[in-house]
């Protein structure tokens, strides 16, 4: 059995009296896209900081690609790529200069900045100073920078937050390409829709602990309720909405009665979203 | 630590550095101050030592002086005129050569030569003229000196010339400001723009980052300090030793700057800190400005051990052995500050503050 790319065992971190990460354990398989989901303050960023060697856990063990992160952070960092939530580019340098700088620091030989810029949709803008980039362009450059060393493990912290649909789609495409290349992707987000689209497995983090961890499909089956949404024409000519829960004993009879007794205009089924499941498990939404 | 990565980071600092206002200040301020002082005290455009001579015979000494292009020679008809000119500061030194001076020297007979020294003349000029006089006399005599040189100080004989007094301030401004502020401001700026976090997750170590930032400050400030010394006519034959001492001073200052950069969170806090400790940093130079203040007080301040060796070399022609004690203290300060820096880097990693 191959060694998991990421192993975290009983990680703990406190900021003073605040317990930010409380004994969390998980493993991420090689080539997997792993979603780390939770509201602000749940402990996502602290966990990523520990896994990427920026922060020393107060207890617990963690390895990336079989390397102990706490003991050999630089060996780990040479093989990972990190895209931060907040922009941290050299604004007075051009996009290409930013990439070249980091490629040199990673010791990458024969680095092709133009090809990487093309991958993230920034072709032709490499010579422009970053300070003139839009937010979406900066975010795409951040993703490109995380890829300069062709990382084995890619950490992405809210990579599409606040972006226009085109920029967000460009970044999602890159994530899928990286998975196809064989990289493991650790995606931190509170965008449940994005996690559902991209992730092989997701972990729900709440108040520093993992409250659920599985594939989105399994989580939906385990915690979600499938629904049928029906629009019917009322006698006064207005549209009325009906909701029928699936997977219950009386569901077939309820659907049959509706189809026979009412004039159905639209009918579609829907499964629970990851956000619905998160609320059901934690009792609170992602925005809290 | 990787020298290659230090080089990569240093190159970025050098390319981006000149866009930084601190970089411009580090270059411009000492230069402007030196030029203003040189204009005020006249050492830049009239830098040659001025010798006045009353030659009562026709001595070879006055011919040798006239042939020397590195001094400005003025002849006077009478001893009274020479004394008056020296008192006014028209010449740095005046000598009266007796009528039979050369003959007496050649015969090996004792003779007396009267010399006047302007009290506010630069130490460097006095030393140079004194040495030249001795050399010429020895040349005429063709043997060891049978001459007794009687020197009379005229003018303000207590006060050091302003040019000499202000030199420590200029050195400290060149070395401390550049070497300390450049790495400190660069580090804080990277913190504020979060680029330091981006560097932290590359194979570059904290030591690589600190060293690259420190090197720019050390290099620039050492060069600027040498330029300032040259502009002030303070460099002598021990330029190599001066450069070495300045380099050590710059290393110490850069370490202080990186410690500050590692501790403070934003540029406003950095400037507030600099304001708060500025007096301590420049205290040795400020004490040197006022000779009436007991000069031993300056020894309390760490930057004294940076500036004093330089002063000893350029004003008193000190050798390495003469300043070994001061350099020992400076090296100890460098070691202690380096240890503090290493502890800070470890602490920042533990706290995740980079």
């Amino acid at each position: 059995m191959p060694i998991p790319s990421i192993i975290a065992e009983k990680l703990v971190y406190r900021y003073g009296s605040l317990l930010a990460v409380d004994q969390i354990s998980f493993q991420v398989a090689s080539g997997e896209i792993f979603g780390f989901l939770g509201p602000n303050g749940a402990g996502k960023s602290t966990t990523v900081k520990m896994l990427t060697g920026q922060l020393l856990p107060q207890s617990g063990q963690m390895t990336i690609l079989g390397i102990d992160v706490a003991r050999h952070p630089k060996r780990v960092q040479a093989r990972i790529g990190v895209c931060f939530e907040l922009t941290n580019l050299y604004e007075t340098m051009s996009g290409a200069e930013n990439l070249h700088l980091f490629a040199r620091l990673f010791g990458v030989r024969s680095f092709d900045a133009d090809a990487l810029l093309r991958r993230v949709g920034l072709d032709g803008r490499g010579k422009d100073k970053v300070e003139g980039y839009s937010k979406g362009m900066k975010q795409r450059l951040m993703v490109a920078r995380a890829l300069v060393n062709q990382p084995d493990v890619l950490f992405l912290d809210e990579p599409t937050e606040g972006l226009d649909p085109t920029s967000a789609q460009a970044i999602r495409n890159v994530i899928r390409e990286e998975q196809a290349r064989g990289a493991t992707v650790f995606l931190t987000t509170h965008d449940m829709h994005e996690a559902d689209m991209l992730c092989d497995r997701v972990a729900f983090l709440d108040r520093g602990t993992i409250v659920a961890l599985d594939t989105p499909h399994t989580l939906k089956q385990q915690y979600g309720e499938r629904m049928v949404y029906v629009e019917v024409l009322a006698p006064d000519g207005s549209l009325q909405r009906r909701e029928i829960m699936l997977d219950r004993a009386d569901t077939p009879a309820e659907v049959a009665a509706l189809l026979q007794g009412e004039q159905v205009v639209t009918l579609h089924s829907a499964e629970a979203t990851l956000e619905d499941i998160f609320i059901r498990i934690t009792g609170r939404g992602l925005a809290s | 630590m990787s020298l290659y990565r230090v080089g990569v980071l240093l190159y970025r600092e050098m390319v981006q550095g000149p866009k930084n206002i601190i970089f411009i200040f580090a270059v411009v301020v000492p230069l402007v101050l030196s030029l203003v002082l040189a204009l005020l005290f006249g050492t830049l455009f009239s830098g040659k030592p001025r010798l006045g001579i009353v030659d009562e015979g026709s001595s070879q000494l006055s011919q040798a002086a006239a042939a020397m292009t590195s001094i400005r020679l003025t002849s006077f008809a009478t001893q009274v005129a020479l004394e008056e000119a020296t008192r006014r500061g028209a010449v740095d030194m005046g000598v009266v050569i007796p009528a039979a001076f050369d003959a007496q020297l050649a015969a090996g007979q004792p003779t007396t030569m009267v010399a006047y020294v302007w009290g506010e003349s630069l130490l460097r000029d006095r030393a140079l003229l004194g040495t030249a006089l001795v050399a010429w006399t020895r040349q005429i005599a063709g043997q060891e000196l049978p001459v007794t040189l009687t020197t009379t100080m005229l003018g303000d004989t207590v006060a050091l010339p302003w040019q000499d007094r202000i030199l420590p301030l200029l050195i400290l401004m060149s070395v401390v400001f550049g070497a300390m502020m450049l790495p400190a401001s660069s580090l804080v700026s990277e913190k504020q723009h979060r680029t330091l976090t981006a560097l932290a997750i590359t194979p570059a170590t904290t030591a690589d980052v600190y060293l690259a930032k420190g090197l720019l400050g050390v290099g620039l400030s050492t060069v600027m300090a040498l330029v300032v010394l040259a502009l002030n006519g303070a460099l002598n034959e021990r330029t190599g030793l001066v450069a070495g001492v300045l380099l050590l001073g710059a290393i110490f200052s850069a370490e202080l700057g990186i410690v500050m950069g590692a501790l403070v969170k934003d540029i406003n806090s950095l400037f507030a800190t600099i304001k708060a400790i500025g007096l301590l940093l420049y205290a040795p130079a400020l004490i040197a400005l006022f000779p009436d203040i007991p000069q031993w007080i300056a020894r309390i301040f760490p930057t004294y051990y940076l500036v004093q060796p330089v002063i000893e070399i350029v004003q008193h022609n000190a050798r390495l052995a003469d300043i070994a004690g001061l350099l020992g203290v400076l090296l100890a300060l460098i070691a202690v500050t380096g240890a503090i820096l290493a502890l800070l880097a470890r602490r920042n990693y533990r706290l995740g503050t980079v």
Side-chain angles (χ1 to χ4, degrees):
Chain A
M1 186 179 167
I3 299 171
S5 289
I6 303 172
I7 300 175
E9 286 176 9
K10 296 183 179 176
L11 295 182
V12 174
Y13 198 87
R14 283 175 192 278
Y15 294 103
S17 60
L18 176 71
L19 186 59
V21 175
D22 184 11
Q23 303 253 353
I24 65 167
S25 301
F26 60 88
Q27 295 190 355
V28 182
S30 180
E32 184 179 11
I33 300 181
F34 185 82
F36 207 52
L37 318 180
N40 294 331
K44 301 190 302 285
S45 295
T46 303
T47 306
V48 170
K49 276 187 173 181
M50 288 191 283
L51 291 173
T52 55
Q54 298 174 66
L55 192 61
L56 199 61
Q58 284 147 357
S59 70
Q61 305 282 318
M62 52 188 182
T63 62
I64 302 278
L65 302 162
I67 306 166
D68 186 329
V69 184
R71 290 180 64 185
H72 307 290
K74 288 296 155 191
R75 276 177 60 196
V76 169
Q77 284 159 353
R79 296 181 61 187
I80 65 173
V82 182
C83 176
F84 299 86
E85 180 184 4
L86 298 170
T87 307
N88 58 1
L89 298 158
Y90 287 104
E91 301 262 336
T92 54
M93 289 164 64
S94 72
E97 284 170 345
N98 268 274
L99 296 184
H100 276 295
L101 171 68
F102 281 80
R104 286 190 199 106
L105 291 175
F106 276 102
V108 179
R109 288 175 188 173
S110 65
F111 174 68
D112 187 352
D114 290 336
L116 195 48
L117 288 166
R118 208 162 30 246
R119 272 187 74 189
V120 295
L122 287 175
D123 39 327
R125 301 300 301 268
K127 288 182 180 169
D128 297 346
K129 288 218 172 10
V130 173
E131 60 197 0
Y133 281 17
S134 68
K135 185 182 176 185
M137 290 166 69
K138 285 179 184 175
Q139 193 62 36
R140 280 185 268 171
L141 185 62
M142 296 266 291
V143 172
R145 189 180 66 185
L147 301 176
V148 292
N149 58 331
Q150 293 199 303
D152 295 316
V153 181
L154 185 59
F155 288 88
L156 302 168
D157 194 354
E158 308 283 1
T160 60
E161 185 173 304
L163 297 188
D164 61 272
T166 311
S167 296
Q169 191 54 46
I171 288 174
R172 286 186 199 116
N173 289 341
V174 169
I175 293 172
R176 290 193 184 97
E177 286 165 17
E178 283 303 297
Q179 184 186 33
R181 184 175 64 79
T184 304
V185 180
F186 190 94
L187 178 67
T188 308
T189 182
H190 55 245
D191 183 340
M192 296 290 180
H193 177 64
E194 181 169 87
D196 202 357
M197 279 195 296
L198 291 171
C199 297
D200 298 312
R201 287 192 306 149
V202 295
F204 286 160
L205 195 67
D206 186 41
R207 296 186 177 95
T209 60
I210 291 176
V211 290
L213 193 167
D214 219 317
T215 65
H217 180 71
T218 307
L219 286 172
K220 284 174 194 171
Q221 280 195 327
Q222 194 174 346
Y223 297 100
E225 286 172 331
R226 295 190 299 152
M227 305 285 289
V228 171
Y229 296 100
V230 187
E231 278 183 330
V232 296
L233 197 62
D236 63 358
S238 64
L239 282 175
Q240 290 185 348
R241 185 180 162 97
R242 306 268 193 275
E243 291 179 2
I244 301 169
M245 289 183 103
L246 292 175
D247 308 319
R248 286 164 59 167
D250 60 346
T251 301
E254 201 176 340
V255 172
L258 185 77
L259 291 172
Q260 284 169 4
E262 307 247 23
Q263 192 176 340
V264 175
V265 179
T266 66
L267 181 151
H268 58 268
S269 64
E271 60 184 356
T273 64
L274 287 177
E275 181 147 16
D276 296 334
I277 296 164
F278 187 87
I279 292 168
R280 186 161 173 190
I281 294 171
T282 64
R284 62 195 189 118
L286 287 165
S288 58
Chain B
M1 188 188 296
S2 153
L3 286 180
Y4 171 74
R5 289 191 189 97
V6 172
V8 169
L9 292 167
L10 178 60
Y11 176 75
R12 193 205 78 80
E13 295 284 337
M14 286 168 70
V15 171
Q16 298 296 311
K19 296 171 188 168
N20 181 346
I21 190 75
I22 302 290
F23 188 99
I24 296 164
F25 259 68
V27 173
V28 170
V29 169
L31 281 182
V32 169
L33 257 177
S34 291
L35 290 170
V36 168
L37 290 169
L39 284 171
L40 280 176
F41 297 107
T43 50
L44 185 63
F45 301 112
S46 56
K48 292 179 183 177
R50 298 158 304 167
L51 178 66
I53 284 183
V54 175
D55 191 354
E56 292 172 343
S58 183
S59 173
Q60 290 176 43
L61 195 148
S62 57
Q63 291 163 27
M68 195 166 199
T69 54
S70 58
I71 64 168
R72 184 181 294 178
L73 182 70
T74 311
S75 294
F76 294 86
T78 64
Q79 188 169 343
V80 176
L82 176 66
E83 187 180 337
E84 180 51 32
T86 311
R87 195 185 304 278
R88 279 189 285 110
V91 292
D92 296 306
M93 182 184 274
V95 289
V96 182
I97 307 167
F101 185 71
D102 291 14
Q104 283 175 307
L105 279 181
Q109 293 171 0
T111 183
T112 299
M113 183 164 65
V114 175
Y116 300 108
V117 176
W118 180 44
E120 292 172 57
S121 63
L122 294 177
L123 289 175
R124 177 203 60 173
D125 292 345
R126 292 179 203 176
L128 208 146
L129 290 172
T131 310
L133 278 174
V134 170
W136 295 328
T137 313
R138 188 178 291 154
Q139 194 183 332
I140 296 164
Q143 56 191 4
E144 282 303 307
L145 276 183
V147 177
T148 305
L149 189 69
T150 307
T151 303
T152 309
M153 296 287 277
L154 300 170
D156 188 348
T157 56
V158 178
L160 270 170
W162 273 100
Q163 193 80 5
D164 287 347
R165 282 198 236 173
I166 216 151
L167 197 60
L169 186 61
L170 285 173
I171 294 166
L172 276 183
M173 285 196 73
S174 310
V175 177
V176 175
F177 188 82
M180 194 172 74
M181 283 304 285
L182 266 178
S185 63
S186 173
L187 204 54
V188 172
S189 170
E190 293 228 39
K191 271 188 190 179
Q192 279 192 279
H193 294 100
R194 297 178 295 275
T195 46
L196 201 57
T197 314
L199 292 179
I201 50 89
T202 69
T205 62
T206 308
D208 294 337
V209 176
Y210 285 177
L211 190 57
K213 292 189 185 303
L215 279 175
L216 180 68
V218 166
L220 181 75
S221 59
T222 304
V223 170
M224 287 315 300
L226 282 170
V227 169
V228 163
L229 287 174
L231 280 176
N232 286 275
L235 286 179
N236 54 20
E237 72 269 23
R238 301 200 202 283
T239 305
L241 184 59
V242 171
V245 174
L246 287 172
L247 193 67
L248 288 178
I251 290 170
F252 174 54
S253 304
E255 283 183 338
L256 287 178
I258 296 168
V259 167
M260 269 195 284
L263 284 173
V264 304
K265 286 182 178 170
D266 54 56
I267 208 82
N268 290 336
S269 308
L270 177 68
F271 281 118
T273 310
I274 294 289
K275 262 195 227 170
I277 66 166
L279 200 62
L280 299 177
L281 293 172
Y282 293 107
L286 299 176
I287 291 168
L289 280 176
F290 304 101
D292 292 341
I293 298 174
Q295 295 296 302
W296 63 263
I297 296 173
R299 291 172 182 267
I300 298 167
F301 302 95
T303 45
Y304 171 84
Y305 300 94
L306 179 166
V307 73
Q308 193 57 29
V310 179
I311 295 298
E312 292 294 332
I313 299 166
V314 300
Q315 289 186 346
H316 306 293
N317 215 16
R319 295 162 303 158
L320 179 60
D322 302 325
I323 55 168
L326 293 167
L327 287 185
V329 177
L330 182 57
L331 286 169
L333 287 169
I334 289 171
V336 169
T337 318
I340 292 169
L341 207 50
L343 288 174
L344 267 177
R346 206 173 295 174
R347 164 194 166 270
N348 283 356
Y349 170 54
R350 202 177 63 247
L351 299 176
T353 49
V354 190

